[in-house]
Amino acid sequence: MLGDGSQPAVAPKEPTMSDHSTRRSARREEATTLVKSATAKERKELARDRERGEDLLALIERRKSVIVESFYDLGVALRELLRRELFRALGHASFKALLAERQVMSEAQAYKLIALVEHLPREEALRLGQEKAAALVAYAEATPEPDRPAELARADAPIGGKPLSKVSVRDLKAAAVAARGKRPARPATPAARERRQHAAALVKAARAALRRGGITRATVVVKGAQVVATFAASAVERLLEDRG
């Protein structure tokens, strides 16, 4: 007890393994409930999607050990999980949640591999190697010209005064940084739009939950893996008075 009669602040409790296990169990129960309420056709489609999603995750896990040779296959599998939204059949709210909860890989790495598949054919990507292929895609995205990574690779295009075959990964990254400072604003990528939409959905759900609890005015933002809500202490005091 402090001298002024107030209670000492208590640090927020970190989630335990038991908490994570409880949440996973809740998600599984929710998925089971959805299956029970679905029609026979919907259950069949869900089972098919769930099986396909598990197969893709198993492929990713197998190939992660030989990622130097198999990064393109990882990108293909990740792209299908994202495009077909198979994460929903697997009981996850979003692609980001799937990556984190199944410990697949970081979100940044997943979208980098997906970008490789979307912008480079397999042969060109394997010839360049994962890091250089990723750097080339980032460079093409940064330039104001409508450069296509595949065309740059096939033509051994000059970048910074040297042909691509002679350009290092570091050179490509430096060229991309320089190009970003010169380019006009460009439309968001599908991956960026998906992240923004997911964040907006989280904010909307958090605000609705706060309103149900009696907090009508709050600032809600998404910061990484956390949703942070800020509201006046007086709002909580009013709730305490009402309940008292």
Side-chain angles (χ1 to χ4, degrees), residues 173-186:
K173 290 181 177 179
V177 170
R180 288 190 191 99
K182 301 175 182 178
R183 72 177 183 181
R186 299 179 68 179

Side-chain angles (χ1 to χ4, degrees), residues 207-241:
R207 284 178 174 160
L210 288 169
R211 284 195 296 272
R212 289 194 297 271
I215 304 296
T216 58
R217 305 184 71 175
T219 300
V220 183
V221 296
V222 177
K223 293 184 177 180
Q226 295 183 324
V227 178
V228 180
T230 306
F231 41 87
S234 59
V236 182
E237 290 168 355
R238 284 195 298 273
L239 290 176
L240 292 175
E241 290 172 0

Side-chain angles (χ1 to χ4, degrees), residues 137-214:
V137 170
Y139 168 77
E141 286 288 324
T143 58
E145 297 82 11
D147 293 326
R148 296 180 182 273
E151 294 173 358
L152 294 174
R154 282 193 291 267
D156 198 18
I159 298 175
K162 295 188 290 187
L164 177 60
S165 57
K166 303 296 183 182
V167 173
S168 67
V169 173
R170 180 180 296 182
D171 291 338
L172 275 172
K173 290 181 177 179
V177 170
R180 288 190 191 99
K182 301 175 182 178
R183 72 177 183 181
R186 299 179 68 179
T189 63
R193 287 196 297 271
E194 197 266 346
R195 288 194 294 270
R196 281 205 301 269
Q197 290 168 358
H198 178 59
L202 290 176
V203 169
K204 182 178 180 180
R207 284 178 174 160
L210 288 169
R211 284 195 296 272
R212 289 194 297 271

Side-chain angles (χ1 to χ4, degrees), residues 50-66 70 73-74 77-78 81 90 98 102-105:
R50 185 164 53 242
E51 181 180 1
R52 179 56 178 164
E54 291 290 356
D55 287 345
L56 291 170
L57 287 172
L59 181 148
I60 290 169
E61 195 60 36
R62 291 195 304 271
R63 295 299 178 89
K64 277 162 65 176
S65 61
V66 287
S70 303
D73 294 328
L74 292 178
L78 289 163
L81 284 166
L90 294 166
L98 166 69
R102 297 293 287 265
Q103 298 181 344
V104 180
M105 63 181 65

Side-chain angles (χ1 to χ4, degrees), residues 40-160:
K41 181 180 179 181
E42 289 170 338
R43 286 197 298 271
K44 184 177 180 180
E45 291 175 349
L46 181 62
R48 181 196 61 206
D49 285 350
R50 185 164 53 242
E51 181 180 1
R52 179 56 178 164
E54 291 290 356
D55 287 345
L56 291 170
L57 287 172
L59 181 148
I60 290 169
E61 195 60 36
R62 291 195 304 271
R63 295 299 178 89
K64 277 162 65 176
S65 61
V66 287
I67 196 168
V68 173
E69 294 84 10
S70 303
F71 66 89
Y72 201 88
D73 294 328
L74 292 178
V76 172
L78 289 163
R79 180 176 63 173
E80 184 175 348
L81 284 166
L82 174 61
R83 282 187 173 180
R84 294 183 56 196
E85 297 189 351
L86 296 179
F87 50 82
R88 300 190 188 282
L90 294 166
H92 301 279
S94 66
F95 182 62
K96 179 179 180 180
L98 166 69
L99 296 175
E101 292 165 13
R102 297 293 287 265
Q103 298 181 344
V104 180
M105 63 181 65
S106 71
E107 185 183 15
Q109 178 68 7
Y111 279 113
K112 183 185 291 186
L113 290 171
I114 291 171
L116 287 179
V117 171
E118 291 182 337
H119 293 94
L120 283 168
R122 179 185 296 271
E123 294 75 15
E124 295 295 342
L126 294 179
R127 181 174 62 81
L128 291 169
Q130 181 181 345
E131 291 304 315
K132 191 167 185 177
L136 177 62
V137 170
Y139 168 77
E141 286 288 324
T143 58
E145 297 82 11
D147 293 326
R148 296 180 182 273
E151 294 173 358
L152 294 174
R154 282 193 291 267
D156 198 18
I159 298 175

